[in-house]
Structures are given as C-alpha cells and as structure tokens.
Amino acid sequence: MSTPLLEVRNLKTHFISRTSRVRAVDGVDFSVERGKVLGIVGESGSGKSMTSLSIMRLVPGPQGQIVDGEILLDGKNLLKLTEREMTNIRGNQIGMIFQEPMTALNPVLKIGEQIGEVLTRHRGMNKAEAKKHAVELLKNVGFPRAEQIVNEYPHQLSGGMRQRAMIAMAMACQPTLLIADEPTTALDVTIQAQVLDLMRELKNRTGTAIILITHDLGVIAEMADDMVVMYGGQVVESGSADSVFEEPLHPYTRALLESIPVIDEERERLTAIPGTVPSAANFPEGCRFADRCSLVESSCREKMPELRELRKGHSVRCTLAV
Amino acid sequence: MASYIVRRLLGLIPTLFVITVIVFLLMHAMPGNAFMALVYNPKVKDPAALIARLEAQNGLNQPLYIQYFDWLRNVFQGNLGMSQSLNEPVSQAIGQALPNTLLLAVTAEVIILLVSIPIGVLQANRANKGFDITTSFIAVLFYSIPGFVFALILLLFFSFKWNILPSTGTVTPGVSYSGSLGDHIIHLVLPAMALALPSLAYYTRLTRGNTLQVIVADFVRTAKAKGLRTPRILFRHVLRNAIIPLVTQFGFDIGGLFGGAIILEEIFTWPGMGELSINATLSHDYPLILGSTLVFAVTVLIGNLIADILLAVSDPRIRYD
Ligand SMILES: Nc1ncnc2c1ncn2[C@@H]1O[C@H](COP(=O)(O)OP(=O)(O)OP(=O)(O)O)[C@@H](O)[C@H]1O
Ligand code: SF4
Ligand SMILES: [Mg+2]
C-alpha cells in the first residue's frame, strides 16, 4: 500500500477569544487516497468547512487557529510550511471551490483574468498565454463560447456557469487534490447533476482526488469512494462509502440515512433528527451525540468514546457499537 | 454611453439657469455697483453725470429681468460681456485664470489619490496595528485642520524659515529660468500641498473603510485559495472593488476642491479663478461675477457627471443606456 495523498491527523481548529473557545474542529482524522473521492457529511456547524479551510491554511484569523494536529500532503506536513511556501501549494497542488459561486468570484474582474492569474502565478505564463489557456480550460468544463466568456464578468453568467468557471479555475494547474465545499448547494437540481457529472469526468480524466463536502447523502452515495461523517467537530464514523451505507455503525449515521427522503416508497416524509447540534463553544462531557441518541446510556456521558476500527477500514465513535 | 453623456449635459441647462438667476438677484441686492467708486475719484469733475452715463451704457438702468435676459442672450452667442473693472472681455479674464486653477486643482487631486489610496489599503490590511494606528491618528489630525491654516504653516516653514520654496505667484520674475517647467513646479508645490492635505486625510480614511469592507468578502478567500500573494490580492482584487465608491466621491468633490482653491489662491497670490472672483465681487463687476459663477457651477456639475461616468467605467455591473 502506498501512502495516502492526504492524511489529516488529530486536527484541532479552535476559535479563541478572551471569553470563549469554540472547538470548531476537535480532533479530526481521515485520509484521502490518490484519485479517489472522499465525501464528508454532517449537519450545519459540524466543522466541515473549517476542516477544509484548515487544510488550505485559510482559517479566518486571528481568532481561528489550528491548535493541534498534522496535515500531511504526500507525506509533507502543511502545518510546518511558511506562509510563502503555502501560497505555492494553494491553487497549484490543492484547488478549492466554494458553495456560493456568485460571491466567490470577484464581481469586477473578467472571468478570463480570474482564471488566467492562477496560471501566471503558478505556471509563469504571461497574460496573453494565460488568457489563451483559460479559453481551453473553459472549453474543458463545457463552455461552448469560451472565447467570449473570458471577456465577460461573473454577473453575466448563470449560477451553474459560474460554478463551472470556478471549477475551471480550481483545476487550472491540475492539482492532485480538489476540495469542493458544498459545490452544488446553491444550484437547482438539474444543474447540480450536471456539475457533479463534470467533477466526476474531470476526476477520471486527470486523476485528481476530491474532498466533497455536502449535506446530501444522496450526493455521497453517487460520487464518493470513501466517506466521513462529522458531528460536533469530530469524525463519528468513517470508512468506504459502500460499507458505511451497507452497515452504518453510528446511531447518528443511521439517523441521517433514515432522514434521506425516499421517493416511491411508503415513508416519503423526511424524518429530521430531533434535537439540535450542541454548541461548539460548550460541548457536553462524553459523547457529543448523547442528547439526541435513542440508545444513550449513562456510560455514554461519562467518557468521550474513542474512534474504533470495528470492521476493516471502517471506524466508529460510539461506545455501544459492536 | 455617448448618448448618456449628451443627455446628462443637456440636463445641466435647467440647473445652470436656476443658479445664474439666484446669483444675479444676490449680486444686485448688494448696495452700489462697479461705477459708484468714481465718486471718490478727484480727477472726475462731475461724477454723478459720468456714473449715470456708464450705467446707461452698461444697461444698468433697465429693469432687472431685461438685464438678465440680455446677459443670457449674449451667453448663448458665446459672449460673456465686458468686465467693468478690468476693461477686458470676461472670457479673456477667465481664459487666463482658469488654467491656473485647473493646474492647482488637478495637481492636488493627483497628490491626494497617489498618497491616500496606498496608505488606506495598507492601513486596512493591518488594521489596528502600529502603522494603522499612527497614520490614522495623523490623518484625523490633518483632517481637523482647515486648508488655509496648513497654507500658513507651510509658508512659515518652507518659504520664510528655510527659504526653499517660493511663496507667491506661478513663476519667478526676472530670472533666467523664469517660466521653465521646474520654475512652474516649485511654485505649485506649496499651494497644491495646502489644497491636498485635508482631503488627503479624508480619502485615506475613506480608502481604509472601503478596503476593510471588501477584505472580508468571499472572493478574497477565493483569491487566497488560488495561491495569489498579498500585493496582488490587495491591489488588484480588493482595491479594484474598494475604489468604486471612492472614485464616485472623488467626482463629487471636484467642485469642493475648486472652492477650496479660492482661499488658497488669495494666500499664495495665485492668479486663478479664486482671485478673479473675489476681485470681481469686491468691485461689483457684474459681468465678471456672473461669468466666474457660471464657470464654478459648470465645474461642480461636470464633477458630478464625471463621478457617474467613473462609476460606470469602474463597475461593470452598472450599465447606462
Ligand atoms: N469566525 C468564527 N468565529 C467563531 N466560531 C466560528 C467561526 N466560524 C465558524 N465558527 C464555528 O465553527 C463551527 C464549525 O463551522 P463550519 O463552518 O465548519 O461548519 P459546517 O459543517 O461547514 O457547517 P455548514 O454545513 O453550515 O457549512 C460552528 O460551530 C461555527 O459556529
Ligand atoms: S456513545 Fe452512546 S450516546 Fe453516543 S452515539 Fe453511542 S450510544 Fe449514542
Ligand atoms: Mg460549511
């Protein structure tokens, strides 16, 4: 077995102020294999975005700080790099796309410049070469009139087109890892499917590994090779997508799977999980899911459950799981 | 765009009409006129008769509305009338003074933009750190001091104490280098600085504030995620957005800068529109007052138009058609 492309070990990212400490990411472990898709699911506030921003070392400072852990890209710890070395990784070895393609693009710069500047920065191209290459990149993500699009501004494009442009930008330097933080949440359903198809096609063509963050287990089922379920800043379950879907071991994962709306069946209703996510500023002792867990026992509240590998490559953070 | 500008320029006419009417009425509300001073001239034998003759010549014995429409008719024929105190055409007097004021104002504007924008951006980038705190303090200090006080302080040090820069006029008379480019420039330094300093502080604050708003935007995070370095992020991605409200404000302030020049021109005896209009008012020179008012009003209105055009040029989301 070769080493994974990316290994995240015991990552802790906290927001520290004089009066409080928000443990947004609190001891996260997972790895991403080369050319594979890792899906991360979890409710709002579970720390998905902060995990991905930590990998990019773009946690909003000065309050947000990576206080512990390792992030190994090709065995190299990104947390040990200088900021200047890190700028050589961003956009070059790791590309990132965000949820809101309207606000994620600069409203007053042309699409061609916004794509091209990645190439002038990392590939040493001059402006003319970069613009020419940007046209090619836009064609690769399915723009028929790419020659015009490079001269247009973001507001002239539809939401789906903007996200395609974002993908072209993030993929410009053929990164080994693409992080997509809810790339389709802001789009309507048919466009969502197109954008996901595009990402899968690009992955197959270029061998780029993808971290795909989403609320939507359906998207994970369709796209992911491996998956991580996050809750309260922690990984509560991780494994291959097949084994997790086949045999979810954590009560939270099971509840999530039950809440997928299943069409053409009797239970067509979306069963949301009762209760709310505990505040990251004030986690309870012991298991963080205890207040919402139907199986909770007194022992669950005494000690934080460890993440245990119960099946081969399939781990769970629940005292009672066997 | 071109048709928009033409429409806007036509839209200025009613405003100019109202402004000139008001000035016309105010000016005639002042006691006396340009010829009254002849009473005190010992060489004039029969001042009353002479004044009556001059008043008749210049139409001052006509009803006010006729005087106004006479003036207006002449303006539409490109004739601003004769100055009564300078004995030359008003257009000629303005033609000599306006370039000097424009030079002063444009130089001040260039200084303002070149200094305040980089400082404001750098302040915002390291908000509430040492550089920001010290320069912000200086900016607030400068902003609270009126331009003419600056003028006097600058004169005191640079002209009188250290004697390194001239204090009056646009050129040094009676020297071999008189009127050379360098000569013009050293005369421009002090008045332009005095005009620029208060606005400079204001624009630094404005740039800082705008930059602080933009710097937290999502697209800045995208720019960082692309691996761009700080100068490119600040001066391309952030500034390109932060400058939009700035250029708009700048267009509106062109008129104000022109007004600020009036007082400074007196202090530096700079032969511009300020001097011209003050002298015109003091000598009750009606055609010259109206002519210079017209120039000031057009400047303010053109400034507003420039603000709108700059906004359209700097923000691709805005379309004028
Ligand atoms: N600037 C900040 N200051 C303090 N706390 C923050 C800040 N940004 C995020 N957090 C906290 O960090 C936690 C994790 O946030 P994060 O954005 O990673 O969640 P998420 O899983 O991406 O949620 P979503 O699905 O809504 O995007 C949340 O509890 C949030 O309140
Ligand atoms: S440890 Fe206990 S409370 Fe936590 S998920 Fe397992 S059963 Fe539920
Ligand atoms: Mg998020």
Side-chain angles (χ1 to χ4, degrees), chain A residues 13-16 20-25 40-53 59-61 63-64 99 181-182 213-215 230 232-233 277-281 283:
Chain A
T13 302
H14 294 178
F15 288 87
I16 302 170
S20 72
R21 183 184 194 85
V22 176
R23 291 180 278 173
V25 180
I40 302 183
V41 271
E43 277 167 291
S44 197
S46 56
K48 306 181 297 292
S49 295
M50 286 309 142
T51 302
S52 56
L53 287 175
V59 178
Q63 298 202 336
Q99 175 174 340
D181 189 353
E182 310 203 29
I213 294 173
T214 175
H215 283 115
M230 286 191 68
V277 191
S279 155
F283 283 129

Short mmCIF file of all heavy atoms in Angstrom, two decimals, chain A residues 13-16 20-25 40-53 59-61 63-64 99 181-182 213-215 230 232-233 277-281 283, ligand 1:
data_model
loop_
_atom_site.label_atom_id
_atom_site.label_comp_id
_atom_site.label_asym_id
_atom_site.label_seq_id
_atom_site.Cartn_x
_atom_site.Cartn_y
_atom_site.Cartn_z
N THR A 13 -8.98 22.78 15.25
CA THR A 13 -9.05 24.18 14.87
C THR A 13 -10.05 24.87 15.78
O THR A 13 -11.24 24.51 15.78
CB THR A 13 -9.49 24.32 13.40
OG1 THR A 13 -8.57 23.60 12.58
CG2 THR A 13 -9.51 25.78 12.98
N HIS A 14 -9.57 25.79 16.56
CA HIS A 14 -10.43 26.45 17.55
C HIS A 14 -10.50 27.94 17.28
O HIS A 14 -9.58 28.52 16.72
CB HIS A 14 -9.88 26.23 18.97
CG HIS A 14 -9.93 24.79 19.40
ND1 HIS A 14 -9.44 24.37 20.62
CD2 HIS A 14 -10.42 23.68 18.79
CE1 HIS A 14 -9.62 23.07 20.74
NE2 HIS A 14 -10.20 22.63 19.64
N PHE A 15 -11.62 28.54 17.67
CA PHE A 15 -11.75 30.00 17.64
C PHE A 15 -11.59 30.49 19.07
O PHE A 15 -12.43 30.21 19.92
CB PHE A 15 -13.10 30.42 17.07
CG PHE A 15 -13.18 30.20 15.60
CD1 PHE A 15 -13.60 28.99 15.08
CD2 PHE A 15 -12.82 31.21 14.72
CE1 PHE A 15 -13.66 28.77 13.72
CE2 PHE A 15 -12.88 31.01 13.35
CZ PHE A 15 -13.29 29.79 12.85
N ILE A 16 -10.51 31.19 19.30
CA ILE A 16 -10.16 31.54 20.67
C ILE A 16 -10.32 33.04 20.87
O ILE A 16 -9.73 33.85 20.14
CB ILE A 16 -8.71 31.14 20.97
CG1 ILE A 16 -8.55 29.63 20.74
CG2 ILE A 16 -8.34 31.51 22.41
CD1 ILE A 16 -7.13 29.16 20.77
N SER A 20 -14.18 33.07 25.22
CA SER A 20 -14.67 31.75 24.84
C SER A 20 -13.69 31.01 23.95
O SER A 20 -12.73 31.59 23.43
CB SER A 20 -16.01 31.88 24.11
OG SER A 20 -15.79 32.42 22.82
N ARG A 21 -13.95 29.72 23.80
CA ARG A 21 -13.15 28.87 22.93
C ARG A 21 -14.11 27.98 22.17
O ARG A 21 -14.74 27.10 22.76
CB ARG A 21 -12.19 28.04 23.78
CG ARG A 21 -11.23 27.17 23.00
CD ARG A 21 -10.44 26.36 24.01
NE ARG A 21 -9.27 25.72 23.47
CZ ARG A 21 -8.07 26.27 23.32
NH1 ARG A 21 -7.86 27.47 23.62
NH2 ARG A 21 -7.06 25.60 22.85
N VAL A 22 -14.26 28.27 20.89
CA VAL A 22 -15.17 27.49 20.06
C VAL A 22 -14.37 26.38 19.39
O VAL A 22 -13.49 26.63 18.58
CB VAL A 22 -15.85 28.38 19.00
CG1 VAL A 22 -16.73 27.53 18.08
CG2 VAL A 22 -16.67 29.46 19.65
N ARG A 23 -14.70 25.12 19.75
CA ARG A 23 -13.92 23.99 19.22
C ARG A 23 -14.54 23.51 17.91
O ARG A 23 -15.22 22.49 17.85
CB ARG A 23 -13.87 22.88 20.26
CG ARG A 23 -13.01 23.29 21.46
CD ARG A 23 -12.95 22.21 22.50
NE ARG A 23 -14.13 22.23 23.37
CZ ARG A 23 -14.39 21.29 24.28
NH1 ARG A 23 -13.57 20.26 24.42
NH2 ARG A 23 -15.45 21.37 25.03
N ALA A 24 -14.34 24.30 16.84
CA ALA A 24 -14.99 24.03 15.55
C ALA A 24 -14.54 22.69 14.99
O ALA A 24 -15.35 21.92 14.48
CB ALA A 24 -14.66 25.16 14.57
N VAL A 25 -13.24 22.42 15.05
CA VAL A 25 -12.71 21.12 14.63
C VAL A 25 -11.94 20.60 15.82
O VAL A 25 -11.07 21.30 16.35
CB VAL A 25 -11.79 21.26 13.40
CG1 VAL A 25 -11.26 19.90 12.98
CG2 VAL A 25 -12.52 21.92 12.24
N ILE A 40 -17.52 14.12 2.75
CA ILE A 40 -17.69 14.49 4.16
C ILE A 40 -19.12 14.97 4.34
O ILE A 40 -19.55 15.89 3.65
CB ILE A 40 -16.70 15.59 4.59
CG1 ILE A 40 -15.25 15.13 4.35
CG2 ILE A 40 -16.90 15.94 6.07
CD1 ILE A 40 -14.21 16.14 4.83
N VAL A 41 -19.87 14.31 5.24
CA VAL A 41 -21.24 14.76 5.53
C VAL A 41 -21.33 15.17 6.99
O VAL A 41 -20.51 14.78 7.83
CB VAL A 41 -22.33 13.68 5.34
CG1 VAL A 41 -22.84 13.67 3.95
CG2 VAL A 41 -21.86 12.36 5.82
N GLY A 42 -22.39 15.87 7.29
CA GLY A 42 -22.63 16.29 8.67
C GLY A 42 -23.55 17.49 8.64
O GLY A 42 -23.61 18.21 7.65
N GLU A 43 -24.26 17.68 9.75
CA GLU A 43 -25.19 18.80 9.81
C GLU A 43 -24.44 20.13 9.83
O GLU A 43 -23.22 20.17 10.03
CB GLU A 43 -26.03 18.71 11.10
CG GLU A 43 -27.22 17.79 10.99
CD GLU A 43 -27.81 17.50 12.35
OE1 GLU A 43 -27.14 16.80 13.14
OE2 GLU A 43 -28.91 17.97 12.64
N SER A 44 -25.19 21.20 9.67
CA SER A 44 -24.63 22.54 9.72
C SER A 44 -23.90 22.75 11.05
O SER A 44 -24.42 22.39 12.10
CB SER A 44 -25.76 23.55 9.58
OG SER A 44 -25.24 24.78 9.23
N GLY A 45 -22.71 23.30 10.99
CA GLY A 45 -21.97 23.60 12.20
C GLY A 45 -21.12 22.46 12.71
O GLY A 45 -20.49 22.57 13.77
N SER A 46 -21.08 21.34 11.98
CA SER A 46 -20.31 20.20 12.48
C SER A 46 -18.81 20.34 12.21
O SER A 46 -18.03 19.52 12.69
CB SER A 46 -20.84 18.90 11.86
OG SER A 46 -20.81 18.98 10.46
N GLY A 47 -18.41 21.38 11.48
CA GLY A 47 -16.98 21.64 11.31
C GLY A 47 -16.42 21.25 9.95
O GLY A 47 -15.21 21.21 9.77
N LYS A 48 -17.31 21.01 8.97
CA LYS A 48 -16.84 20.57 7.65
C LYS A 48 -16.03 21.66 6.96
O LYS A 48 -14.92 21.41 6.47
CB LYS A 48 -18.04 20.19 6.77
CG LYS A 48 -18.97 19.15 7.41
CD LYS A 48 -20.12 18.78 6.50
CE LYS A 48 -21.07 19.91 6.17
NZ LYS A 48 -21.85 20.39 7.31
N SER A 49 -16.59 22.87 6.93
CA SER A 49 -15.88 23.95 6.23
C SER A 49 -14.57 24.29 6.92
O SER A 49 -13.55 24.54 6.26
CB SER A 49 -16.75 25.20 6.17
OG SER A 49 -17.88 24.95 5.37
N MET A 50 -14.58 24.31 8.25
CA MET A 50 -13.35 24.66 8.97
C MET A 50 -12.28 23.59 8.76
O MET A 50 -11.09 23.91 8.72
CB MET A 50 -13.64 24.86 10.45
CG MET A 50 -14.36 26.15 10.74
SD MET A 50 -13.53 27.56 9.99
CE MET A 50 -14.93 28.53 9.47
N THR A 51 -12.70 22.33 8.61
CA THR A 51 -11.73 21.28 8.30
C THR A 51 -11.07 21.56 6.95
O THR A 51 -9.84 21.52 6.81
CB THR A 51 -12.43 19.91 8.27
OG1 THR A 51 -13.03 19.68 9.54
CG2 THR A 51 -11.44 18.80 7.98
N SER A 52 -11.91 21.90 5.94
CA SER A 52 -11.32 22.11 4.62
C SER A 52 -10.47 23.38 4.59
O SER A 52 -9.41 23.40 3.96
CB SER A 52 -12.41 22.14 3.55
OG SER A 52 -13.36 23.12 3.84
N LEU A 53 -10.93 24.42 5.28
CA LEU A 53 -10.12 25.65 5.31
C LEU A 53 -8.81 25.42 6.07
O LEU A 53 -7.79 26.03 5.77
CB LEU A 53 -10.91 26.80 5.93
CG LEU A 53 -12.03 27.35 5.05
CD1 LEU A 53 -12.85 28.40 5.80
CD2 LEU A 53 -11.48 27.95 3.76
N VAL A 59 -7.99 29.35 7.60
CA VAL A 59 -8.92 29.57 8.69
C VAL A 59 -8.93 31.07 9.02
O VAL A 59 -7.88 31.68 9.11
CB VAL A 59 -8.49 28.78 9.94
CG1 VAL A 59 -9.43 29.05 11.09
CG2 VAL A 59 -8.46 27.30 9.62
N PRO A 60 -10.14 31.67 9.12
CA PRO A 60 -10.17 33.12 9.36
C PRO A 60 -9.53 33.50 10.70
O PRO A 60 -10.02 33.12 11.75
CB PRO A 60 -11.66 33.47 9.32
CG PRO A 60 -12.38 32.17 9.49
CD PRO A 60 -11.49 31.11 8.98
N GLY A 61 -8.44 34.24 10.63
CA GLY A 61 -7.73 34.67 11.82
C GLY A 61 -8.24 36.01 12.28
O GLY A 61 -9.08 36.60 11.63
N GLN A 63 -8.71 34.96 15.36
CA GLN A 63 -9.31 34.08 16.37
C GLN A 63 -9.20 32.62 15.99
O GLN A 63 -8.95 31.77 16.85
CB GLN A 63 -10.78 34.46 16.56
CG GLN A 63 -10.96 35.88 17.09
CD GLN A 63 -12.28 36.07 17.77
OE1 GLN A 63 -13.24 35.36 17.52
NE2 GLN A 63 -12.35 37.04 18.66
N GLY A 64 -9.43 32.33 14.70
CA GLY A 64 -9.36 30.94 14.27
C GLY A 64 -7.92 30.47 14.21
O GLY A 64 -7.10 31.05 13.53
N GLN A 99 -19.15 27.14 -2.00
CA GLN A 99 -20.59 26.94 -2.15
C GLN A 99 -21.24 28.00 -3.05
O GLN A 99 -22.00 27.68 -3.93
CB GLN A 99 -21.23 26.96 -0.76
CG GLN A 99 -22.75 26.89 -0.79
CD GLN A 99 -23.30 26.76 0.61
OE1 GLN A 99 -22.61 26.38 1.53
NE2 GLN A 99 -24.57 27.06 0.77
N ASP A 181 -16.39 22.47 -1.31
CA ASP A 181 -17.23 22.67 -0.13
C ASP A 181 -18.64 23.00 -0.57
O ASP A 181 -18.94 24.13 -0.94
CB ASP A 181 -16.64 23.80 0.74
CG ASP A 181 -17.35 23.91 2.09
OD1 ASP A 181 -18.36 23.20 2.29
OD2 ASP A 181 -16.89 24.69 2.93
N GLU A 182 -19.50 22.02 -0.53
CA GLU A 182 -20.89 22.15 -0.95
C GLU A 182 -21.00 22.85 -2.30
O GLU A 182 -21.65 23.88 -2.43
CB GLU A 182 -21.69 22.93 0.11
CG GLU A 182 -21.47 22.36 1.50
CD GLU A 182 -22.60 22.71 2.45
OE1 GLU A 182 -23.73 22.87 1.98
OE2 GLU A 182 -22.35 22.77 3.65
N ILE A 213 -17.59 17.98 0.14
CA ILE A 213 -18.35 18.26 1.36
C ILE A 213 -19.79 18.51 0.99
O ILE A 213 -20.08 19.23 0.04
CB ILE A 213 -17.75 19.49 2.06
CG1 ILE A 213 -16.34 19.16 2.55
CG2 ILE A 213 -18.63 19.94 3.22
CD1 ILE A 213 -15.60 20.34 3.10
N THR A 214 -20.71 17.91 1.73
CA THR A 214 -22.12 18.08 1.38
C THR A 214 -23.01 17.77 2.58
O THR A 214 -22.60 17.14 3.54
CB THR A 214 -22.50 17.17 0.20
OG1 THR A 214 -23.90 17.26 -0.03
CG2 THR A 214 -22.15 15.71 0.48
N HIS A 215 -24.26 18.27 2.49
CA HIS A 215 -25.28 17.87 3.45
C HIS A 215 -26.00 16.63 2.96
O HIS A 215 -26.77 16.03 3.70
CB HIS A 215 -26.37 18.97 3.55
CG HIS A 215 -25.97 20.14 4.36
ND1 HIS A 215 -25.82 21.39 3.82
CD2 HIS A 215 -25.67 20.26 5.66
CE1 HIS A 215 -25.47 22.23 4.77
NE2 HIS A 215 -25.36 21.58 5.90
N MET A 230 -19.28 13.65 10.10
CA MET A 230 -18.81 14.54 11.18
C MET A 230 -19.96 14.95 12.07
O MET A 230 -21.09 15.15 11.63
CB MET A 230 -18.13 15.78 10.59
CG MET A 230 -16.75 15.49 10.03
SD MET A 230 -15.83 16.99 9.62
CE MET A 230 -15.55 17.69 11.24
N GLY A 232 -20.28 17.53 15.70
CA GLY A 232 -19.67 18.28 16.80
C GLY A 232 -18.16 18.39 16.69
O GLY A 232 -17.45 18.22 17.68
N GLY A 233 -17.65 18.68 15.50
CA GLY A 233 -16.22 18.89 15.33
C GLY A 233 -15.39 17.62 15.32
O GLY A 233 -14.16 17.68 15.33
N VAL A 277 -27.81 20.35 17.28
CA VAL A 277 -26.38 20.12 17.46
C VAL A 277 -25.90 20.92 18.67
O VAL A 277 -26.27 22.08 18.82
CB VAL A 277 -25.62 20.61 16.20
CG1 VAL A 277 -24.17 20.16 16.22
CG2 VAL A 277 -26.32 20.14 14.95
N PRO A 278 -25.10 20.32 19.56
CA PRO A 278 -24.61 21.10 20.70
C PRO A 278 -23.68 22.21 20.22
O PRO A 278 -23.04 22.10 19.18
CB PRO A 278 -23.85 20.07 21.53
CG PRO A 278 -23.49 18.98 20.58
CD PRO A 278 -24.59 18.94 19.57
N SER A 279 -23.64 23.31 20.98
CA SER A 279 -22.81 24.44 20.59
C SER A 279 -21.33 24.10 20.72
O SER A 279 -20.89 23.52 21.72
CB SER A 279 -23.14 25.64 21.48
OG SER A 279 -22.04 26.50 21.53
N ALA A 280 -20.56 24.49 19.69
CA ALA A 280 -19.13 24.17 19.68
C ALA A 280 -18.39 24.97 20.76
O ALA A 280 -17.22 24.70 21.04
CB ALA A 280 -18.54 24.46 18.31
N ALA A 281 -19.08 25.96 21.35
CA ALA A 281 -18.44 26.72 22.42
C ALA A 281 -18.60 26.00 23.75
O ALA A 281 -17.97 26.34 24.74
CB ALA A 281 -19.04 28.12 22.50
N PHE A 283 -19.36 22.10 24.47
CA PHE A 283 -19.70 20.70 24.27
C PHE A 283 -19.92 20.01 25.61
O PHE A 283 -19.26 20.32 26.60
CB PHE A 283 -18.57 19.98 23.53
CG PHE A 283 -18.54 20.28 22.06
CD1 PHE A 283 -17.37 20.69 21.45
CD2 PHE A 283 -19.69 20.16 21.28
CE1 PHE A 283 -17.33 20.96 20.09
CE2 PHE A 283 -19.65 20.43 19.92
CZ PHE A 283 -18.47 20.83 19.34
N1 LIG C 1 -15.40 33.13 12.67
C1 LIG C 1 -15.85 32.25 13.58
N2 LIG C 1 -15.80 32.54 14.89
C2 LIG C 1 -16.26 31.68 15.82
N3 LIG C 1 -16.79 30.48 15.51
C3 LIG C 1 -16.87 30.12 14.23
C4 LIG C 1 -16.41 30.98 13.19
N4 LIG C 1 -16.62 30.37 12.00
C5 LIG C 1 -17.19 29.19 12.28
N5 LIG C 1 -17.33 29.02 13.62
C6 LIG C 1 -17.90 27.86 14.30
O1 LIG C 1 -17.25 26.72 13.87
C7 LIG C 1 -18.15 25.64 13.83
C8 LIG C 1 -17.98 24.85 12.56
O2 LIG C 1 -18.32 25.67 11.47
P1 LIG C 1 -18.24 25.17 9.96
O3 LIG C 1 -18.45 26.34 9.10
O4 LIG C 1 -17.01 24.39 9.76
O5 LIG C 1 -19.48 24.20 9.87
P2 LIG C 1 -20.01 23.40 8.60
O6 LIG C 1 -20.00 21.99 8.96
O7 LIG C 1 -19.26 23.79 7.40
O8 LIG C 1 -21.50 23.91 8.51
P3 LIG C 1 -22.35 24.26 7.20
O9 LIG C 1 -22.93 22.97 6.75
O10 LIG C 1 -23.40 25.19 7.73
O11 LIG C 1 -21.46 24.89 6.20
C9 LIG C 1 -19.54 26.20 14.02
O12 LIG C 1 -19.98 25.87 15.31
C10 LIG C 1 -19.36 27.68 13.92
O13 LIG C 1 -20.20 28.33 14.82
#
